[in-house]
């Protein structure tokens, strides 16, 4: 597509590092940008806004995509992970030409010359913002740790084969922190399998006993606090605070990958605590040895205590979890429905829980019992995403069977309509039912070019419009493949 560059006053043709002209012509983006900023400030608060968002500058708007600049990669990544969604929504509401936003790094002009690729800490020298940030740290002084979710207890955690070992380790640490062999405790597993739940359970149990001080926070929060401390020159206080706890829990450590300075700080904190006989609990999405990008010495240290893996759920565990959650909700959910859910939603517990909650909320709202029918209806879109993945091989097989051609003709060079048409249908279905790209699909069909696949997709849609019998055939195949 041509560059439909219709609005880029803000990113005028001036070279990136030239001084801005004395008077920049007003851009139609100025007013909405002002409004977006005011709204953001209102939502996130002055301190948060000054720390992270004030340094955003406006780039060009092109083909509906608006570029926003940040002066460093670190800030860009942070804003992307925390505020991108909000920025997009606010922009769309303010200025309808904006459909997407793209966050890019553009060094602040004063710092542009002579600045090497510096880690994030360097930002403090560019930023005159230390006053409000130190306020953030001051606020944080009382709540260094994130609050614990009172629902995430050991009692509400359903134990089964995939998580029994991790559960036992967590219980052990909660009973007797800093036991030899259990320090650090490293919990790992995929998303939504209960790592955070177990960490909170440890914290809640210890808090209940009240004898030790516990700090739980995500690695992201750790980093945020650390940087805020650097900016406000209060790293000593930050360190002391951290090193004064009995149990330090850091969730989602994989977030520190590539953040060398924060890793370094964590490493020192870690050592100081362990040497002082305090307990460390860490979670991550991979085992220490698979966390590439983590400094070797930190990785080695992390693997020194107890490493416990939470495995993917089994059908039995999913059923037990659903039973427990349904019971707790007080709404009757028939066993058939629970089985259905446990079969259909296999990814993780969070989604399983989400599905059940939706059913329960629905039943509550309409005042009718949960049945298999209502379940299928209420969860239609959710379940669709969980339908099993169809492979191109399956598609080829089914389509070949349907029109009685040889499977090898899916990749042969024969062009007779009797084989070419089914082949096109198979390509069409491959595009519809799998996430493969056109070139990938082409390769599976005898190394055909992606343009051939594109042509097939278009041709089949055309034919479906013209010929209802053909459309029904294709539709039937699609439904069979989707199972
Ligand atoms: P992770 O931190 O591993 O991504 P979470 O601990 O946030 O996962 O778990 C996701 C959701 O699933 C939470 O609501 C949690 O309570 C629930 N959950 C996970 N595992 C279990 C379990 N074994 N028993 C009960 N609830 C669970
Ligand atoms: Mg988690």
């Amino acid at each position: 597509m041509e560059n439909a560059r219709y609005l880029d006053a803000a990113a005028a043709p001036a070279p990136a590092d030239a001084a801005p002209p004395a008077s920049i012509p007003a851009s139609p983006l100025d007013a909405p940008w002002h409004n977006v900023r005011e709204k953001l400030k209102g939502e996130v608060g002055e301190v948060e806004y000054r720390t992270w968002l004030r340094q955003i500058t406006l780039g060009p708007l092109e083909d509906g995509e608006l570029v926003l600049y940040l002066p460093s990669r670190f800030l860009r990544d942070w804003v992307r992970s925390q505020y991108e969604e909000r920025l997009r929504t606010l922009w769309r509401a303010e200025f309808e030409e904006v459909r997407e936003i793209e966050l890019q790094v553009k060094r602040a002009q004063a710092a542009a010359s002579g600045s090497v690729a510096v880690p994030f800490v360097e930002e403090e020298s560019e930023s005159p913002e230390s006053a409000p940030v130190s306020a953030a740290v001051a606020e944080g002084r009382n709540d260094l740790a994130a609050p614990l979710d009172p629902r995430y207890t050991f009692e509400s955690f359903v134990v089964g084969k995939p998580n029994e070992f991790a559960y036992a380790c967590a219980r052990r640490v909660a009973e007797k922190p800093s036991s030899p062999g259990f320090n650090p405790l490293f919990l790992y597993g995929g998303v939504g399998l209960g790592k955070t739940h177990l960490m909170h359970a440890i914290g809640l149990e210890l808090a209940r006993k009240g004898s030790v001080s516990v700090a739980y926070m995500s690695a992201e929060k750790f980093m945020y606090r650390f940087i805020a401390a650097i900016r406000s020159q209060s790293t000593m206080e930050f360190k002391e605070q951290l090193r004064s706890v009995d149990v330090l829990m850091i969730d989602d450590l994989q977030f520190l990958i590539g953040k060398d300075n924060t890793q370094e700080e964590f490493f020192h904190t870690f050592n100081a605590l362990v040497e002082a006989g305090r307990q460390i609990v860490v979670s991550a999405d991979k085992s220490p040895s698979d966390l590439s990008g983590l400094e070797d010495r930190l990785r080695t240290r992390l693997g020194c205590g107890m490493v416990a893996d939470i495995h993917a759920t089994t059908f039995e565990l999913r059923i037990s979890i659903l039973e427990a959650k349904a019971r707790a909700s007080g709404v009757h959910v028939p066993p058939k429905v629970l089985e259905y859910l446990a079969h259909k939603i296999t990814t993780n517990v969070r989604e399983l829980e989400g599905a059940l909650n939706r059913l329960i909320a629905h039943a509550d709202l309409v005042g009718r019992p949960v049945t298999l029918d209502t379940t299928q209806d209420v969860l239609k879109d959710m379940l669709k995403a969980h339908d099993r993945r169809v492979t191109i091989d399956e598609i080829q097989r089914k389509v070949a069977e349907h029109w009685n051609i040889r499977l090898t003709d899916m990749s042969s060079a024969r062009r007779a309509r009797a084989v070419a048409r089914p082949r096109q249908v198979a390509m069409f279905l491959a595009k519809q039912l799998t996430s493969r790209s056109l070139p990938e699909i082409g390769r599976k069909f005898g190394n055909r070019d992606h343009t051939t696949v594109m042509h097939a997709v278009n041709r089949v849609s055309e034919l479906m419009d013209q010929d209802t019998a053909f459309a029904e055939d294709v539709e039937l195949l699609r439904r069979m493949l989707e199972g």
Side-chain angles (χ1 to χ4, degrees), residues 71-72 106-119 122 125-126:
S72 72
K106 187 159 133 190
R107 296 254 167 223
Q109 291 170 354
S113 64
S115 79
V116 244
V118 238
E122 167 242 19
S125 57
E126 298 174 16

Side-chain angles (χ1 to χ4, degrees), residues 190-211:
V191 234
L193 296 180
K195 301 181 294 292
T196 298
H197 189 136
L198 281 179
M199 291 177 103
H200 284 225
I202 295 173
L204 290 168
E205 180 72 18
L206 289 167
R208 202 169 56 79
K209 290 195 233 157
S211 50

Side-chain angles (χ1 to χ4, degrees), residues 195-196 216 251-252 283 350:
K195 301 181 294 292
T196 298
Y216 162 89
D251 206 352
D252 288 321
S283 85
R350 187 173 295 130

Side-chain angles (χ1 to χ4, degrees), residues 189-264:
V191 234
L193 296 180
K195 301 181 294 292
T196 298
H197 189 136
L198 281 179
M199 291 177 103
H200 284 225
I202 295 173
L204 290 168
E205 180 72 18
L206 289 167
R208 202 169 56 79
K209 290 195 233 157
S211 50
V212 292
S213 63
V214 182
Y216 162 89
M217 69 183 105
S218 64
E220 205 173 5
K221 180 87 164 246
F222 179 88
M223 181 180 76
Y224 170 86
R225 292 279 196 228
F226 174 52
I227 293 156
I230 290 174
R231 287 175 154 221
S232 64
Q233 301 176 350
S234 59
T235 44
M236 282 313 291
E237 279 138 289
F238 175 74
K239 284 178 200 205
E240 276 165 25
Q241 242 179 324
L242 276 176
R243 289 170 199 193
S244 68
V245 300
D246 296 309
V247 180
L248 176 66
M249 298 198 272
I250 303 286
D251 206 352
D252 288 321
L253 193 82
Q254 71 274 4
F255 189 82
L256 294 194
I257 282 174
K259 318 278 184 343
D260 294 349
N261 293 14
T262 313
Q263 262 187 52
E264 170 101 14

Side-chain angles (χ1 to χ4, degrees), residues 31-183:
W33 182 213
H34 175 79
N35 295 343
V36 167
R37 280 186 296 192
E38 284 310 302
K39 284 193 179 146
L40 265 177
K41 206 184 293 176
E43 285 177 15
V44 305
E46 185 73 23
V47 172
E48 199 84 348
Y49 177 81
R50 275 170 174 263
T51 314
W52 307 110
L53 299 164
R54 202 170 88 164
Q55 308 183 52
I56 303 177
T57 53
L58 214 47
L61 172 65
E62 234 178 288
D63 289 337
E65 187 181 290
L66 175 68
V67 176
L68 298 175
Y69 294 121
L70 282 142
S72 72
R73 215 177 73 197
F74 167 70
L75 266 175
R76 195 269 317 270
D77 291 348
W78 181 265
V79 169
R80 186 178 272 166
S81 70
Q82 302 298 309
Y83 304 109
E84 184 170 19
E85 191 71 46
R86 244 354 251 156
L87 278 165
R88 187 183 302 117
T89 312
L90 287 171
W91 261 107
R92 282 181 181 162
E94 277 305 321
F95 201 67
E96 62 180 9
E97 275 90 322
V98 174
R99 290 190 303 275
E100 257 316 313
I101 61 164
E102 163 70 16
L103 297 164
Q104 289 182 6
V105 181
K106 187 159 133 190
R107 296 254 167 223
Q109 291 170 354
S113 64
S115 79
V116 244
V118 238
F120 54 78
V121 177
E122 167 242 19
E123 269 153 31
E124 63 175 329
S125 57
E126 298 174 16
S127 151
E129 319 280 9
S130 54
V133 178
S134 70
V137 172
E139 274 165 27
R141 217 150 270 162
N142 311 318
D143 69 329
L144 176 71
L148 298 170
D149 188 324
R151 293 168 306 171
Y152 290 173
T153 59
F154 284 123
E155 289 69 35
S156 67
F157 191 83
V158 180
V159 186
K161 267 256 149 19
N163 59 26
E164 63 188 5
F165 183 64
Y167 172 84
C169 293
R171 268 238 111 110
R172 170 67 187 265
V173 166
E175 259 154 44
K176 210 162 164 275
S178 313
S179 315
F182 286 84
N183 199 13

